[in-house]
Amino acid sequence: MSSKVNITSAFWGRYRQLVRTEMIPFQWNVLNDTAGITIEKERLNDEGIPSEKSHAMENFRIAAGRTKGTHYGWTFQDSDVYKWLEAVAYSLREKMDPELEAKAHEVIDLIAEAQEPDGYLDTYFSILGLQYRYKSLAGSHELYCMGHFIEAAVAYFEATGNEKVLAVAKKAADNIDENFGPDEGKIHGYDGHEEIEIGLLRLYHSTGEKRYLKLAKYFLMERGKHPNFFKEQAAVYDGPNALSGIEKAPNTYFQNHKPVLEMDTAEGHAVRVVYLCTALADLAATTGDKEVYEACKRLWNNITRKRMYITGGIGSTVNGESFTLDYDLPNDTMYCETCAAVGLIFFARQMLRIEPKAEYAEVMERALYNCALAGMALDGKHFFYVNPLEVNPLKSKLDPTKSHVKPVRPSWLGCACCPPNLARLLTSLDDYVYTVSENTILVNLYMDSDSTIELPNGRVKIKQETRFPWDNEARVIVKNDTDSHIRIGIRLPGWADNTLVGAIGNMEIGDVESGYQYFTVEPSCECSAGLTFEIPIRRNYASPLVSEDVGKVAISKGPFIYCLEGADNGIDLNTISLPETAELKYAYEDNLLGGVGVITAEGRRTKASEEAETEGLYLNVKPKTEPASLKFIPYYAWANRGENEMLVWLRES
Ligand code: FUB
Ligand code: ZN
């Protein structure tokens, strides 16, 4: 039997159920073009982006020879189907559903039929010309798509034991292995979008086949050694478009500017960076390679200490959906793609496998409860691609530099990477609660849950009883059924002022190391640790080097970052300020936004003087302020009450 974490948390249970009952069926209809929705373009000026329909399943039917037609959509349209399948796998792992399983089998059969006899799998080139495959890797996303398929296949195999899907994945990986690598006659290159590395490592973990580990390592280490690789391929490519032109992007966009082990700043497309880092950290955890881990740490530190928003969002510009430079964190033009926050969570999880530092879990929690969760509406049927920290709907409509910043979540997006990424994260959230190594279990996330964890010497039952995030108490009950002493490391959260920890039974309190309070539990015994957190409302200040946030404050409580929204606070949110002395009060509102903790305060609103209305923009009269009652809601819950303004960082007065 393998480990099983059963999440019983009301907060997360609702989301996970939403994914199962709303999002997965909804996405199924979208993939089959039967959802009856209008798919929005990401940006006003994205004329060339194919977005009228998904066509993703139809692409597979055409590639399999079941129907006639041509490919439609992005070169990576296949990955929408794969991410759907991966979310289905986790969903079935949690709760068997024969109807859903039948749909998944239908999809697996279709994918197997669309696979070429030699294992190659990509509908774009199967339909438009196999002779062009692997020849335009800057934009073709072939390995990216196969990486997503391999991830889905491993997840599905591990959840259900389905051998067929694993066989298709191995055949695809073998095809890649035959075509790429250092040997003469093979392609000495890699994909324009990292992902295959994650897939191959997962396939290695599941099958133990060392070739997959070797190939993942090859792709990671080859990157950046030959920075002209994409341009050289493009110069002689004469096949179908495959996002051609993308190779002209700077090498940093693809993390192709230098070898990965020499990188110390996160450059380029944010999702690509965190996928690269996830695979690198997995490689370091798997092989114990110190040099690889040092590279991971440098990238982690650069991202989380200099380039990450307070919400856990990353990617400061729409231009290339990219990182820019240290401390450049504009609040209303940024990107903060949902996928990038999801990828940062993947990265954090792998870092925890290498080194038990609470810092990794803190970032994981920050991105999860804020940027990632904001990616989905409370109805589970509307999604953000971009997660701003400041929005004015009129500016989004009329200022072309903000057209990507949507004030309301669309039903779906032409480039549909984010919703299914969120679905696979939420359905696999059980994988993030604990980190297990040898005889140590780290409690990373507080979540009401009931789990069985397999250790080398037997089984441990671990139960969390808590109403967190809406309550400040947790009890962690451990039943050690192994015949050895085990160590439990309970994270002492950074958002708590004081965490009182008491042990009951044969649980010996140990040291605090890197943010975890350790306990030793004797063999064959049951005991528990009770925790009471003091969770203050906090005022957060950014480094003064973040020019956009100087003089401003952001409010948080526990893992949640709070924001002001128009629905509670009217228009022109930028005229609002929060006095340094204002008392911040907390209350839980059962009937608001599915039940949320709100924070209220007496603030000030700056009024335009009467002269300003008649005499123009610039006056020598200081505007007056008047009292304003303020109400803050958790950031993740914004944009669920129609189109309105939103603000995270507000002036402090
Ligand atoms: O290129 C595939 C995915 O589409 C990226 O990860 C997203 O940023 C979106 O561009
Ligand atoms: Zn995305």
Side-chain angles (χ1 to χ4, degrees), residues 81-87 89-90 108 111 146-158 165 169 195 199 202 424:
V81 176
Y82 301 149
K83 285 192 235 168
W84 176 87
L85 185 63
E86 190 181 337
Y90 303 130
I108 292 166
I111 293 170
M146 282 191 256
H148 271 302
F149 174 66
I150 294 170
E151 280 211 79
V154 170
Y156 200 84
F157 165 72
E158 289 178 352
V165 74
E195 163 61 29
R202 284 189 73 167
R424 68 185 182 132

Side-chain angles (χ1 to χ4, degrees), residues 76 141 144 193 269 271-272 275 321 335 337 339 385 415 417:
F76 49 87
H141 286 75
Y144 167 90
H193 195 315
H269 184 261
V271 181
R272 283 172 168 81
Y275 281 18
E321 308 172 334
Y335 213 65
E337 183 177 341
C339 282
Y385 189 132
C415 171
C417 50

